[in-house]
Amino acid sequence: MSDLISKKAQELVSRAFSVNGCKCCHLAPNAKGYSPVGIGGRNGRKYRAHRLIWEATHGPIPDNLMVLHTCDNRRCINIDHLFLGTAKDNTQDMMNKGRNKYRSHVKISTKAQVETIKSLKASGQTLNQIAQRFAVSMETIRVYLNDYRQAELV
């Protein structure tokens, strides 16, 4: 199987196109933005391109680890942009880079912040404007405006 992986990896790299320092897989991305690759025909193993490249270069990926991107480009197969990490590492990387789709409510932790949110809403600001100011989701703002989380505040 490793010969097939190496051969497919070489093919992917040779057909990759460059975007902002990334080597992007030429294969169409799936719904989550990753490029799927099959090895061994119809009944063979399915990979995401970046994972196949990692295995071809470094060997098998341990069960508890993921192949992460420093560039945040899911189609990137540039080995210099890939590193191993845990699910926790992946989440922390996402939070550090501000890529979290559902921003956490933990950034709102005091009654004073909630009072500011309420006064901003009363002054006519939209939920989206307030959410951007506090770097949280609009749903988080809605929750605090409706007093659902007041007991947790200091």
Side-chain angles (χ1 to χ4, degrees):
M1 183 64 112
S2 65
D3 287 341
L4 288 174
I5 291 172
S6 295
K7 185 176 179 180
K8 187 57 120 175
Q10 290 171 359
E11 177 190 336
L12 291 177
V13 170
S14 71
R15 297 180 72 182
F17 59 94
S18 295
V19 176
N20 298 325
C22 293
K23 293 177 185 172
C24 296
C25 183
H26 70 286
L27 298 172
N30 63 19
K32 293 188 176 189
Y34 296 99
S35 295
V37 180
I39 299 286
R42 184 178 298 218
N43 297 319
R45 184 161 175 206
K46 306 292 186 244
Y47 286 86
R48 290 179 174 169
H50 68 291
R51 292 179 60 87
L52 183 132
I53 295 294
W54 183 272
E55 283 200 22
T57 307
H58 297 290
I61 301 163
D63 288 340
N64 63 332
L65 297 179
M66 310 167 103
V67 179
L68 311 178
H69 292 88
T70 60
C71 58
D72 300 329
N73 179 348
R74 293 177 178 185
R75 292 185 70 187
C76 182
I77 57 172
N78 182 343
I79 194 66
D80 295 332
H81 293 189
L82 304 177
F83 66 100
L84 290 180
T86 63
K88 182 178 179 180
D89 296 332
N90 193 31
T91 300
Q92 190 61 53
D93 183 54
M94 174 187 69
M95 300 290 278
N96 290 343
K97 293 177 179 176
R99 289 187 289 106
N100 45 331
K101 182 177 178 183
Y102 305 102
R103 294 181 220 150
S104 173
H105 65 273
V106 296
K107 295 179 182 179
I108 300 172
S109 59
T110 67
K111 291 179 181 176
Q113 288 173 312
V114 173
E115 292 307 316
T116 301
I117 289 169
K118 289 181 177 184
S119 68
L120 290 171
K121 182 63 179 156
S123 72
Q125 287 199 21
T126 66
L127 292 178
N128 190 35
Q129 290 169 326
I130 299 167
Q132 287 180 359
R133 178 174 174 169
F134 284 89
V136 296
S137 68
M138 288 190 299
E139 181 59 27
T140 296
I141 297 300
R142 194 175 290 115
V143 164
Y144 282 102
L145 286 172
N146 291 320
D147 293 328
Y148 295 135
R149 298 193 79 101
Q150 298 299 313
E152 299 175 10
L153 300 173
V154 291

